[in-house]
């Protein structure tokens, strides 16, 4: 037994409450090292000398290339829990408690792991509409406008404004509804001098090139009539250099009441977003800055009934601010969704006290390697994704916003050298794995392009790639119709370098998702026998201990 690989931490993503009576406990061990892991737990304040311990075997839920991750959900009748782990391999049984190993469990309950109390104020609540969602990201200036002209189809530049606006989005709600999405995330819409609007001049006004508050209210209302949620982009890390507070601070120096709103040096230089002088960084520890930004957060919810915020450059702002931001947003609208832009792992933000989700860029990176570049095989994908799932709480991992590309990256189709089959394989995996799928506007229509500005190409609704559109439309259909795909657990069924089959399942539904990346027919062993419905193609698949796959096969078999 490799003790160095064993890890658990109480009051962390390895031990947390799911509700007032339920705990989730997780343990990490070396891969394929143990034959059994048992959680032993009892009432810490039981009035006896030695606590009565209950034993329940834990389930191996994820396996990456180095570790196994065991998990269990318990609902004890008591609320002050002490516990340890019983670990068994082929040769020995040992006990693990408070980072120590024992041949026999200690009698002193204070030497056990402790979950002191399930505090109601610490509970995290997710809402059904989040996991039911299929997001569609819209770069507003390039999506649509009321009357197109020839200039609309010019090549994009970093400076050029093409005139896409809110009315243009309203006019294409039928298109979005037909596609099957039910949540839109708009890049910033507030007053700004740029085409991307990530340098805000006025957080309380709509940029005139996009429309006005009346039109925005109409957009939200029309979306809600169709069951489509609306998420806005919040840029709270920095402002425009034309923002009133920054201009005053630069003009008056330390005499300005806004001087400490920013990080300004004695020589007049200042901290900024990256190296962009037109985007000075805000000091979110300043009480006045905090008050100003939190008022914005609730204003757009209370006045326009938006459904949440996507937070730009979210990991460059302090955790304390985001905790207060969460309190403010949830007080205004309890089921509003908070999504952070974090390009690396977002564990410290996704513990239930800050964000509800993050843009899952680690997913995007591995999807590029596997499906676009072919530099990673499906076995490696499975290992990587199981590690990613294991890093998050089970009640939050289903909220991760999976994406293949965005306004900040090259189009996935471009990365595939415009091979649509590769894009379809990646999209299939995104729609069937754990997490919420997000489509970057135009991916479903066949848009392609390198990094900014080429990824921000204008939509041409008269020349939609109907094959891709119908493929995406089919993915949204099966995703929205299947509880297992939205909130089901995951288990690997079969994987080699080119074929991947995995189960998604709930108590009352199970599907088997199958993907063949090869241009050749494949046959894989199946522990199934009989006829099964492929809900992707709406065709019957016959299995007789083996499953035959055509080249580039994609199937979702209804097992239960």
């Amino acid at each position: 037994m490799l003790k160095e690989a064993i890890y658990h931490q109480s009051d962390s993503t390895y031990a947390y409450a799911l509700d007032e009576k339920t705990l989730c406990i997780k343990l990490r061990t070396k891969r394929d090292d143990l034959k059994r892991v048992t959680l032993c737990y009892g009432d810490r304040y039981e009035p006896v000398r030695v606590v009565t311990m209950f034993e329940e075997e834990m389930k191996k839920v994820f396996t990456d290339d180095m570790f196994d991750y065991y998990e269990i959900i318990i609902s004890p009748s008591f609320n002050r829990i002490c516990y340890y782990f019983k670990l068994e391999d082929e040769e020995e049984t040992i006990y693990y408690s408070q980072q120590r190993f024992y041949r026999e469990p200690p009698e002193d309950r204070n030497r056990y792991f402790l979950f002191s109390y399930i505090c109601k104020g610490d509970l995290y609540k997710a809402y059904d509409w989040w996991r039911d969602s299929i997001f569609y990201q819209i770069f507003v200036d390039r999506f649509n406008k009321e009357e197109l002209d020839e200039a609309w189809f010019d090549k994009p530049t970093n400076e050029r404004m093409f005139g896409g606006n809110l009315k243009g989005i309203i006019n294409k709600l039928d298109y979005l509804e037909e596609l099957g999405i039910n949540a839109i995330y708009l890049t910033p819409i507030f007053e700004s001098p740029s085409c991307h609007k990530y340098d805000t001049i006025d957080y309380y006004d709509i940029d005139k090139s996009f429309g006005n508050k009346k039109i925005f209210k109409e957009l939200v209302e029309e979306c809600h009539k169709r069951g489509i949620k609306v998420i806005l982009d919040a840029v709270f890390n920095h402002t425009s250099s034309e923002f009133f507070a920054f201009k005053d601070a630069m003009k008056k120096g330390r005499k300005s009441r806004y001087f400490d709103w920013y990080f300004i040096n004695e020589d007049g230089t200042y901290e900024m977003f990256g190296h962009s002088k037109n985007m000075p960084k805000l000091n979110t520890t300043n009480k006045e800055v905090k008050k100003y930004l939190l008022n914005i957060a609730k204003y757009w919810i209370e006045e326009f009934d938006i459904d949440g915020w996507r937070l730009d450059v979210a990991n460059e702002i302090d955790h304390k601010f985001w905790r207060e931001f969460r309190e403010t947003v949830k007080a205004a609208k309890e089921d509003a969704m908070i999504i952070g832009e974090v390009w690396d792992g977002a564990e410290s933000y996704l513990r239930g006290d800050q964000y509800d989700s993050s843009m899952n860029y680690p997913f995007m990176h591995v999807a590029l390697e596997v499906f676009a570049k072919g530099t990673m095989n499906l076995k490696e994908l499975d290992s990587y994704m199981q590690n990613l799932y294991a890093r998050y709480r089970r009640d939050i991992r289903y909220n991760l916003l999976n994406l293949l590309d965005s306004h900040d990256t090259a189009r996935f189709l471009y990365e595939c050298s415009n091979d649509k089959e590769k894009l379809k394989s990646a999209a299939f995996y995104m729609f069937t794995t754990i997490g919420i799928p997000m489509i970057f506007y135009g991916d479903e229509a066949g848009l392609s392009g390198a990094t900014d500005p080429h990824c921000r190409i204008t939509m041409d609704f008269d020349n939609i790639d109907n094959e891709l559109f119908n493929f995406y439309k089919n993915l949204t259909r099966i995703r929205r119709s299947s509880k297992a795909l939205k909130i089901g657990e995951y288990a690997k069924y079969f994987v080699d370098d080119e074929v991947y089959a995995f189960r998604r399942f709930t108590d009352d539904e199970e599907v088997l998702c199958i993907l063949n990346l090869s241009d050749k027919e494949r046959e894989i062993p199946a522990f199934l026998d009989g006829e099964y419905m492929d809900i992707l193609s709406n065709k019957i698949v016959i299995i007789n201990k083996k499953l035959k796959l055509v080249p580039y096969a994609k199937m979702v078999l209804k097992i239960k």
Side-chain angles (χ1 to χ4, degrees):
M1 189 181 301
L2 187 67
K3 297 181 178 65
E4 294 94 324
I6 295 169
Y7 177 78
H8 175 81
Q9 181 68 50
S10 57
D11 193 21
S12 71
T13 58
Y14 278 72
Y16 51 90
L18 293 170
D19 58 42
E20 291 182 65
K21 296 183 178 180
T22 308
L23 285 180
C24 183
I25 307 291
K26 182 166 59 182
L27 179 79
R28 188 193 75 189
T29 70
K30 180 181 180 292
R31 178 172 178 160
D32 299 327
D33 195 31
L34 302 183
K35 68 176 184 179
R36 187 178 296 108
V37 175
T38 304
L39 177 70
C40 308
Y41 64 95
D43 180 354
R44 184 186 177 193
Y45 288 108
E46 184 184 11
V48 294
R49 187 179 68 84
V50 179
V51 174
T52 303
M53 301 301 284
F54 301 86
E55 295 191 3
E56 292 191 40
E57 187 171 346
M58 300 180 71
K59 180 182 177 183
K60 187 192 297 185
V61 291
F62 298 120
T63 297
D64 61 27
D65 55 350
M66 292 190 294
F67 302 111
D68 289 329
Y69 300 87
Y70 291 83
E71 201 168 80
I72 191 170
I73 295 173
I74 59 171
S75 298
S77 59
F78 37 86
N79 198 2
R80 297 170 175 88
I81 295 112
C82 56
Y83 61 97
Y84 55 80
F85 300 94
K86 181 181 179 181
L87 312 176
E88 301 173 71
D89 64 9
E90 297 297 337
E91 298 178 355
E92 61 180 340
T93 297
I94 62 173
Y95 299 86
Y96 178 56
S97 182
Q98 284 200 10
Q99 325 309 330
R100 294 181 63 187
F101 297 94
Y102 300 89
R103 290 296 172 189
E104 297 292 336
E107 292 187 355
D108 182 0
R109 66 192 73 185
N110 292 315
R111 292 164 69 183
Y112 300 166
F113 287 109
L114 305 175
F115 198 97
S116 299
Y117 193 82
I118 299 177
C119 298
K120 189 173 182 179
D122 290 335
L123 295 178
Y124 173 79
K125 186 175 183 180
Y127 290 85
D128 289 342
W129 81 257
W130 302 350
R131 286 103 184 256
D132 290 343
S133 291
I134 298 167
F135 271 75
Y136 190 86
Q137 183 197 357
I138 295 177
F139 192 88
V140 181
D141 183 60
R142 310 291 164 83
F143 183 67
N144 191 43
K145 63 180 181 180
E146 298 99 311
E147 296 183 13
L148 301 185
D149 49 36
E150 290 186 2
W152 177 257
F153 302 102
D154 288 350
K155 291 183 179 180
T157 68
N158 286 314
E159 295 78 26
R160 177 81 176 273
M161 294 189 190
F162 282 75
N165 55 28
L166 300 177
K167 272 288 187 184
I169 299 173
I170 294 173
N171 292 343
K172 290 300 177 184
L173 289 180
D174 286 347
Y175 170 88
L176 296 177
E177 193 171 24
E178 182 185 356
L179 177 60
I181 63 92
N182 53 8
I184 58 174
Y185 139 45
L186 305 179
T187 52
I189 62 173
F190 309 127
E191 186 183 346
S192 161
S194 66
C195 63
H196 55 72
K197 309 301 177 193
Y198 282 95
D199 47 345
T200 309
I201 290 178
D202 188 345
Y203 290 91
Y204 284 100
D205 204 4
I206 306 286
D207 193 273
K208 292 178 178 58
S209 67
F210 290 168
N212 54 42
K213 291 180 178 178
K214 181 180 178 181
I215 297 172
F216 179 63
K217 196 172 189 68
E218 179 187 356
L219 171 62
V220 176
E221 289 173 350
E222 289 300 317
C223 283
H224 286 174
K225 286 178 185 177
R226 298 166 185 258
I228 297 173
K229 303 291 186 179
V230 180
I231 305 292
L232 289 186
D233 210 328
V235 189
F236 291 164
N237 176 69
H238 52 269
T239 67
S240 167
S241 55
E242 296 299 308
F243 186 64
F244 76 92
F246 185 74
K247 290 201 297 183
D248 191 84
M250 295 304 289
K251 180 180 179 181
K252 299 177 183 177
R254 290 198 172 275
K255 293 182 180 179
S256 170
R257 61 173 292 190
Y258 304 110
F259 185 82
D260 289 331
W261 279 39
Y262 298 89
F263 300 95
I264 303 173
N265 303 316
E266 293 297 333
D267 61 359
T269 59
Y270 50 87
E271 288 194 30
M272 60 194 80
F273 168 65
H275 297 284
S276 303
K277 290 186 177 180
N278 63 321
M279 298 183 188
K281 181 175 174 58
L282 282 165
N283 176 12
T284 51
T285 65
N286 180 285
K287 291 182 179 180
E288 291 301 314
V289 171
K290 191 179 298 183
K291 180 180 178 182
Y292 180 85
L293 296 179
L294 295 182
N295 283 337
I296 292 164
K298 65 180 180 179
Y299 171 80
W300 290 94
I301 295 175
E302 293 173 345
E303 296 297 321
F304 299 92
D305 197 26
I306 68 167
D307 301 292
W309 290 100
R310 181 266 191 188
L311 310 172
D312 187 58
V313 202
N315 55 346
E316 293 189 20
I317 297 176
D318 59 279
H319 293 275
K320 184 178 180 181
F321 174 83
W322 289 131
R323 291 186 182 100
E324 294 186 42
F325 177 86
R326 181 180 185 82
E327 294 291 329
T328 300
V329 167
K330 298 301 182 180
K333 192 171 190 176
E334 190 177 7
D335 69 343
M337 192 175 189
I338 301 171
I339 306 165
E341 181 197 18
V342 181
W343 284 65
D344 196 359
E347 294 95 319
S348 65
Y349 299 94
L350 294 176
R351 293 178 176 170
D353 60 342
Q354 295 170 74
Y355 314 154
D356 297 306
S357 174
S358 70
M359 298 186 71
N360 197 0
Y361 278 101
F363 174 92
M364 183 197 76
H365 293 315
V366 74
L368 283 168
E369 289 190 55
V370 175
F371 301 107
K373 307 297 183 183
T375 54
M376 179 184 283
N377 63 41
L378 288 171
K379 279 185 178 179
E380 293 168 322
L381 168 69
D382 176 69
S383 178
Y384 180 94
M385 292 305 299
Q386 292 208 48
N387 174 272
L388 186 65
Y389 299 149
R391 283 155 53 183
Y392 296 103
R393 294 167 50 131
R394 67 177 291 127
D395 51 356
I396 291 181
R397 66 173 71 114
Y398 296 95
N399 302 346
L400 295 174
L401 194 62
N402 294 335
L403 66 155
L404 298 178
D405 49 13
S406 75
H407 65 287
D408 286 322
T409 72
R411 292 265 177 181
F412 198 89
L413 190 56
Y414 174 85
E415 297 280 17
C416 296
S417 300
N418 296 314
D419 185 331
K420 290 191 294 184
E421 203 58 54
K422 291 181 177 180
L423 172 60
K424 287 196 287 185
S425 293
F428 173 84
Y429 181 64
M430 179 174 70
F431 272 80
T432 54
T433 193
I434 290 175
I436 301 167
M438 187 191 86
I439 304 168
F440 183 39
Y441 82 97
D443 280 359
E444 81 291 348
L447 291 192
S448 183
T451 52
D452 176 27
H454 307 289
C455 59
R456 302 173 182 182
I457 190 173
T458 52
M459 280 284 281
D460 183 358
F461 287 95
D462 291 329
N463 289 287
I464 297 298
D465 186 313
N466 288 317
E467 180 193 354
L468 269 179
F469 181 87
N470 289 327
F471 181 77
Y472 271 89
K473 182 178 174 180
N474 208 14
L475 290 177
T476 65
R477 175 186 61 82
I478 65 165
R479 174 80 185 199
R480 293 181 65 173
S481 67
S482 172
K483 182 180 177 183
L485 290 179
K486 289 184 286 193
I487 62 169
E489 294 186 53
Y490 160 93
K492 179 178 66 179
Y493 185 84
F494 175 88
V495 66
D496 63 17
D497 290 355
E498 296 178 325
V499 175
Y500 193 15
F502 55 92
R503 298 164 50 227
R504 298 292 310 280
F505 56 95
T506 63
D507 290 339
D508 54 5
E509 183 184 356
E510 180 177 345
V511 295
L512 180 63
C513 306
I514 306 159
L515 176 64
N516 178 16
L517 293 187
S518 172
D519 61 357
K520 299 178 178 61
E521 289 187 357
R522 287 291 310 274
E523 188 174 76
I524 64 171
F527 305 104
L528 302 171
D529 216 352
E531 295 184 351
Y532 298 91
M533 173 63 73
D534 174 12
I535 62 174
L536 187 65
S537 66
N538 286 322
K539 294 180 180 179
I540 296 294
V541 175
I542 299 174
I543 302 177
N544 185 14
K545 300 304 180 184
K546 290 184 179 181
L547 179 59
K548 292 183 178 180
L549 304 175
V550 300
Y552 307 116
K554 301 167 188 67
M555 291 189 287
V556 180
L557 302 184
K558 194 73 172 285
I559 304 301
K560 183 176 73 169

